Amino acid sequence: MRDRDLYAKLLGIEDPWYVRDVDPRLEAGEVEIFISRDERAELPCPVCGAAAGRYDTRTRTWRHLDTMQYKTLLTAEVPRVKCAEHGVKQLKVPWAEPGSRFTAMFEALVIDWLKEASVSAVARMLRMTWDEVDGVMTRAVARGLERRQSQPLRNIGIDETSFQKRHEYVTVVYDCDRKHVIDVLDNRRQFDLEEFYFGTPLEHLQSLESVSMDMWGPYVQATLIHVPDAERKIAFDRFHVAKHINDGVNKVRVDEHAELRELGDRTLTGTRYLWLKNPENMTAKSRLRFEALRGSSLRVARAWAMKEAARQLWSYERRGWARRAWKRLIGWMARSRLPPMVKVGRTLRAHLWGIVNAIVLGATNASLEAVNSKIQALKKRACGYRSRARFRSAILFHCGGLELYPSAHLVHTNS
């Protein structure tokens, strides 16, 4: 079999396209394949498919999968046609997507590698520039978002994740049912979340059953404005409520530890994680020490008891019972004479309506917290991102549940 026939078979090149020549430049480490189109074949408009006249021809080159250890290039004379309705358009080629300088199969390889390694690592492995690899990722995400069908939303989660140091954040909107990121917003302002709601069909906002979030005011205000009946759908996530309470317990410990050290008492030295950890997850040695501490007259022991009481209040099914139980706990905090816990109690009282919603609706951001951990791992692997656009693209690539591969690759692999 001649080289031209072999490469035509390997590439899946079919009439009216054909392999005209193969140039193996072994010293340069390259193989260049020249592809032409039968001039007698009809030229369709790439937009409407109607027969069109030839306008001119442009030479285009794409990188393909390597032949053995040799970098492989496809070069073709691609006609441009003049359509009566759509004007001058370049003819589509079956081996690559418009606007790309890589074949669909090569882009699919890059996408597979990107799922396993950083942009820089993929660039080194495949002898590409950083911008070329980033371009493949950006096009893959754009394809995936275009293919994603607009579907009704039932339960969504909203949370911030750090973009850079100095309190730089983006907002992640997550579909809790389909387990993928819906969108990544530039900041955590009310305006940013409102932009998301403006771009969501009204019927999808109406279908929402729960919107799980932390107690960040801008998120709450944007949701109250745009989501129908939001005051019964906003759910303050258990994880964030627990974080507020844990912060209060830890502040009590810090203050008490400072006082005891001045008296030469080191009872609380090295106990930070004992008060924050679930006793069921402690080692036997830690549990013995903790049992003695929590049964003492320490102020932090009283604060911890409030934390434990809160942990038991998430199993209610009726709104009235849940509200009464939390009001009792908040009253206990208010009377505790422990300033950090009094402050936590005021926060819980102001947001009790959303806490009760979370309990009754069974809404949680637990899966979104796992996604946030994955996002931070991606950021660490990439040694950070310089722009929000690239950070957004990486999050959607890895966590968006998108169909990323080029159409030409899908057709080729399914045939």
Side-chain angles (χ1 to χ4, degrees):
M1 182 180 289
R2 295 178 301 172
D3 289 349
R4 288 179 296 174
D5 296 332
L6 173 62
Y7 274 102
K9 290 286 187 183
L10 294 177
L11 295 169
I13 301 297
E14 297 178 348
D15 189 63
W17 299 93
Y18 63 94
V19 175
R20 175 170 49 85
D21 196 13
V22 177
D23 180 15
R25 299 190 291 272
L26 304 187
E27 299 81 6
E30 294 181 349
V31 175
E32 187 167 11
I33 304 161
F34 296 91
I35 300 174
S36 295
R37 193 177 193 279
D38 190 341
E39 294 187 357
R40 297 167 298 179
E42 188 178 78
L43 293 170
C45 169
V47 179
C48 63
R54 183 185 294 267
Y55 182 76
D56 63 10
T57 302
R58 299 289 178 90
T59 302
R60 295 285 183 262
T61 300
W62 298 263
R63 181 169 172 193
H64 189 54
L65 300 175
D66 290 354
T67 299
M68 304 297 185
Q69 68 270 36
Y70 298 103
K71 186 176 181 178
T72 303
L73 305 173
L74 271 59
T75 297
E77 299 292 327
V78 184
R80 290 203 302 169
V81 300
K82 188 170 184 179
C83 174
E85 183 178 353
H86 299 102
V88 177
K89 299 289 181 182
Q90 181 172 286
L91 207 65
K92 290 180 180 179
V93 297
W95 55 83
E97 299 256 308
S100 175
R101 289 295 167 259
F102 302 97
T103 66
M105 293 187 70
F106 188 84
E107 287 212 5
L109 174 67
V110 175
I111 289 168
D112 285 340
W113 270 107
L114 281 170
K115 291 178 179 179
E116 305 296 333
S118 68
V119 172
S120 298
V122 175
R124 288 194 302 271
M125 289 292 297
L126 297 180
R127 295 174 288 173
M128 301 169 68
T129 67
W130 194 98
D131 286 332
E132 286 175 335
V133 178
D134 182 68
V136 172
M137 177 184 285
T138 301
R139 285 191 296 276
V141 170
R143 270 194 304 270
L145 290 174
E146 188 175 343
R147 291 168 178 167
R148 178 189 276 175
Q149 296 181 350
S150 181
Q151 296 176 313
L153 300 171
R154 290 182 57 249
N155 302 287
I156 65 171
I158 301 169
D159 199 8
E160 65 190 30
T161 192
S162 63
F163 162 57
Q164 289 179 343
K165 296 179 181 178
R166 302 179 300 278
H167 303 290
E168 295 277 350
Y169 295 96
V170 297
T171 295
V172 177
V173 184
Y174 185 75
D175 188 324
C176 299
D177 298 306
R178 299 183 181 93
K179 308 297 184 187
H180 65 238
V181 172
I182 303 171
D183 206 352
V184 182
L185 315 178
D186 273 352
N187 212 305
R188 55 172 185 163
R189 302 163 299 187
Q190 180 174 333
F191 166 80
D192 300 298
L193 188 53
E194 285 193 7
E195 284 287 291
F196 167 76
Y197 286 139
F198 276 126
T200 303
L202 178 59
E203 59 269 23
H204 292 181
L205 297 179
Q206 291 172 331
S207 69
L208 280 171
E209 296 176 7
S210 72
V211 184
S212 187
M213 62 177 74
D214 61 16
M215 300 173 189
W216 182 239
Y219 292 165
V220 175
Q221 290 305 312
T223 305
L224 286 171
I225 291 170
H226 292 278
V227 176
D229 200 23
E231 60 277 0
R232 295 182 70 85
K233 297 178 180 179
I234 292 175
F236 295 130
D237 177 59
R238 177 176 184 171
F239 173 85
H240 292 97
V241 173
K243 184 178 184 302
H244 280 283
I245 299 174
N246 280 338
D247 288 346
V249 173
N250 193 51
K251 185 65 169 62
V252 172
R253 180 197 62 83
V254 169
D255 293 344
E256 189 170 18
H257 182 42
E259 294 175 13
L260 291 174
R261 279 201 308 176
E262 288 183 1
L263 300 173
D265 187 339
R266 305 186 68 83
T267 301
L268 290 177
T269 299
T271 64
R272 177 184 178 184
Y273 293 105
L274 292 179
W275 301 106
L276 301 179
K277 202 170 188 179
N278 186 336
E280 297 166 4
N281 298 327
M282 293 180 184
T283 63
K285 183 179 178 180
S286 295
R287 193 178 297 113
L288 281 173
R289 185 185 182 193
F290 182 67
E291 289 295 332
L293 289 170
R294 77 169 187 172
S296 68
S297 59
L298 291 166
R299 297 199 301 271
V300 68
R302 285 196 289 128
W304 179 86
M306 297 173 200
K307 170 196 158 189
E308 277 301 288
R311 201 160 66 95
Q312 309 302 320
L313 301 183
W314 290 91
S315 58
Y316 285 94
E317 296 181 359
R318 294 184 179 276
R319 190 176 294 271
W321 284 105
R323 185 181 293 108
R324 282 190 287 273
W326 278 88
K327 281 185 175 180
R328 284 195 295 271
L329 173 63
I330 292 167
W332 182 12
M333 291 177 172
R335 297 186 301 273
S336 68
R337 297 194 302 278
L338 301 175
M341 301 310 292
V342 172
K343 183 179 178 181
V344 171
R346 285 199 295 265
T347 299
L348 298 182
R349 188 184 301 278
H351 298 87
L352 182 57
W353 58 279
I355 296 172
V356 173
N357 284 344
I359 294 170
V360 174
L361 297 171
T364 175
N365 260 5
S367 54
L368 178 50
E369 290 301 325
V371 168
N372 270 344
S373 297
K374 182 176 180 180
I375 290 170
Q376 292 307 309
L378 291 172
K379 189 175 71 171
K380 184 177 180 180
R381 188 172 75 182
C383 299
Y385 290 88
R386 294 183 181 179
S387 75
R388 293 176 186 274
R390 280 176 168 159
F391 192 36
R392 175 180 186 269
S393 184
I395 294 171
L396 289 171
F397 181 92
H398 291 281
C399 308
L402 301 175
E403 188 179 317
L404 300 167
Y405 294 103
S407 300
H409 164 74
L410 296 174
V411 170
H412 186 82
T413 54
N414 291 333
S415 60

